Amino acid sequence: MFDSKEIDRKIDELLLKEQTPENLNLIGDLFLKKGDKKRAVDYFMRVAKNTTMPRKAIALYKKILRISPLDTEAYEALIDLLERSYNIPEAIKYLDLLSHLYQNKGETIKFTETQRRIRVLKHDWEKVFPSKEIRTKESEPVTFEVMEKEAGETDVTPDKIIESTPPRRKTIWIIAMSILILIILFSSLLLFRDRMERPKEHHRQIRVHNYDVSASSLTEESIKTLPQIDITPEDLKSAALYRITIKALEGCIPHEIIDKPFESIACLNYKGIESRPLYSHVTEGSKRIVYKYGVCSNSIDIVFAELYTICPMSHSSGVKIKGLVTEPVLILWERR
């Protein structure tokens, strides 16, 4: 049995210290030991929302759902992160869990919308991987135990497939399975290499109509010279940080770009395919804006903006800025 008074004392000590993600997570663990699941979830949620490392956030949201399996906010946040991380099969599994939760609660509109998202994701996945159809058991209630079982070992193994196959076809199966394993290994090596490659520091500046636009990818060394950016070299192992500046030579900068950067700025991979930036309080709190009165209206207008955005490592080859001029501004510094 845990000593409740001792746990309270440790919690009080941690509350007096700096509210780092590690301390907040430890406070959540202590509340969980104490049996206060609600307070524990509150602290885990704070850490998950503010971390810049997608893998940590995903692990925290899964931890929250193990404690509070009816927390729809945690479901939505986890699913969004899984989609951004391109883990579509797992995103679909959690969407299926969420849809059953909405169905049980009688929230028909949300249930219908969740089912639509599942169909869209399945369609997109099957276009890229036509031989890897994702199935969900619509007729059975989905629980965490069912999900873990589906994600684990199955009853049908390659050995059983071969045993049930006529002898004259065993050789073909063995060859096919060997080729498939080699393809998977080769693909995994390429993916591992791409993930391990750190993006070099790049800087591109272009002029578009009446704007000077620049984008820079920042490395572990360059962030040390930016005291206003609360991000560490460790954070950059799972994400890429960019600095974007926009200067209006004449006129002003649309407020929408500053107010809604996650809708206006997209991350690009080496083929020019875009992805949403990763949300972070770091980027939200690091804007630098210069205003001038009466440039475009009878109030203060934006004439210079410096923004920071965090992109997935898979989309660290450039940025796309929408809403500045008629056509999106593309800055792509890496092609293969």
Side-chain angles (χ1 to χ4, degrees):
M1 293 293 292
F2 294 102
D3 187 342
S4 181
K5 291 183 179 179
E6 179 66 17
I7 292 176
D8 287 338
R9 186 184 64 79
K10 289 183 179 180
I11 290 173
D12 290 339
E13 288 179 0
L14 288 169
L15 288 173
L16 294 174
K17 295 182 179 180
E18 183 182 357
Q19 300 295 286
T20 62
E22 292 76 14
N23 284 342
L24 292 173
N25 189 61
L26 185 54
I27 292 171
D29 285 332
L30 289 170
F31 273 119
L32 190 60
K33 286 183 179 179
K34 190 180 174 182
D36 192 340
K37 293 184 179 181
K38 185 179 184 304
R39 297 285 295 278
V41 167
D42 288 342
Y43 278 93
F44 294 145
M45 190 72 79
R46 285 175 61 183
V47 180
K49 286 181 177 179
N50 292 308
T51 183
T52 59
M53 304 179 71
R55 290 183 181 178
K56 284 187 177 180
I58 288 171
L60 280 165
Y61 283 124
K62 288 183 178 180
K63 184 176 182 178
I64 290 168
L65 288 173
R66 285 195 294 270
I67 301 167
S68 179
L70 302 181
D71 193 326
T72 55
E73 182 184 358
Y75 271 114
E76 291 286 1
L78 173 59
I79 292 163
D80 186 54
L81 279 171
L82 290 170
E83 286 187 53
R84 293 187 192 187
S85 304
Y86 303 101
N87 192 342
I88 303 303
E90 195 166 3
I92 290 174
K93 287 182 180 179
Y94 279 96
L95 273 169
D96 196 45
L97 284 166
L98 182 59
S99 71
H100 282 78
L101 180 58
Y102 284 140
Q103 186 180 37
N104 293 338
K105 292 170 68 176
E107 298 186 27
T108 308
I109 295 176
K110 290 184 178 180
F111 169 75
T112 304
E113 173 60 21
T114 308
Q115 287 292 315
R116 185 194 66 79
R117 288 175 65 187
I118 291 174
R119 289 194 298 271
V120 170
L121 284 179
K122 281 186 178 181
H123 177 72
D124 292 344
W125 174 264
E126 289 165 7
K127 280 200 303 186
V128 180
F129 301 102
S131 63
K132 298 181 180 180
E133 183 181 357
I134 300 174
R135 299 181 183 273
T136 54
K137 298 181 179 180
E138 300 292 341
S139 59
E140 298 180 9
V142 183
T143 64
F144 275 102
E145 289 74 22
V146 171
M147 183 192 65
E148 294 295 335
K149 183 178 179 181
E150 290 176 353
E153 295 184 357
T154 60
D155 294 332
V156 182
T157 64
D159 291 335
K160 290 185 179 180
I161 292 174
I162 293 174
E163 288 173 4
S164 63
T165 306
R168 57 192 177 86
R169 297 181 59 190
K170 284 186 180 180
T171 302
I172 298 174
W173 269 107
I174 293 172
I175 294 172
M177 293 297 293
S178 300
I179 294 173
L180 180 60
I181 291 170
L182 287 173
I183 292 172
I184 292 172
L185 287 173
F186 183 72
S187 300
S188 300
L189 286 172
L190 289 177
L191 181 61
F192 179 77
R193 185 202 65 182
D194 288 341
R195 288 187 175 180
M196 289 300 293
E197 287 179 356
R198 299 298 310 137
K200 298 178 181 179
E201 187 166 3
H202 296 283
H203 177 76
R204 294 287 184 273
Q205 183 168 353
I206 61 174
R207 178 166 293 184
V208 183
H209 296 291
N210 295 321
Y211 300 100
D212 271 343
V213 185
S214 70
S216 305
S217 61
L218 304 180
T219 62
E220 296 179 7
E221 289 300 319
S222 58
I223 65 169
K224 295 176 183 178
T225 64
L226 304 171
Q228 75 275 22
I229 300 297
D230 183 21
I231 193 169
T232 66
E234 184 68 23
D235 295 327
L236 291 181
K237 291 183 179 179
S238 60
L241 175 66
Y242 300 134
R243 175 173 52 204
I244 298 169
T245 63
I246 306 172
K247 179 181 179 182
L249 304 176
E250 295 180 16
C252 56
I253 300 170
H255 278 265
E256 290 76 12
I257 295 176
I258 312 303
D259 296 336
K260 300 178 180 179
F262 288 94
E263 297 179 12
S264 304
I265 299 173
C267 306
L268 300 175
N269 68 2
Y270 65 91
K271 292 183 179 180
I273 299 173
E274 64 182 87
S275 170
R276 287 179 295 178
L278 301 173
Y279 176 80
S280 171
H281 70 290
V282 172
T283 54
E284 282 293 285
S286 303
K287 299 175 184 176
R288 188 164 69 89
I289 304 169
V290 177
Y291 297 92
K292 190 173 180 180
Y293 183 82
V295 177
C296 294
S297 64
N298 294 325
S299 60
I300 58 172
D301 298 305
I302 302 170
V303 294
F304 175 84
E306 180 179 86
L307 308 171
Y308 292 84
T309 188
I310 298 178
C311 291
M313 290 303 299
S314 58
H315 284 67
S316 59
S317 299
V319 293
K320 176 179 181 180
I321 305 171
K322 295 171 277 189
L324 190 61
V325 291
T326 305
E327 295 295 327
V329 177
L330 300 178
I331 303 179
L332 190 67
W333 47 71
E334 183 181 350
R335 295 183 182 275
R336 297 182 188 175

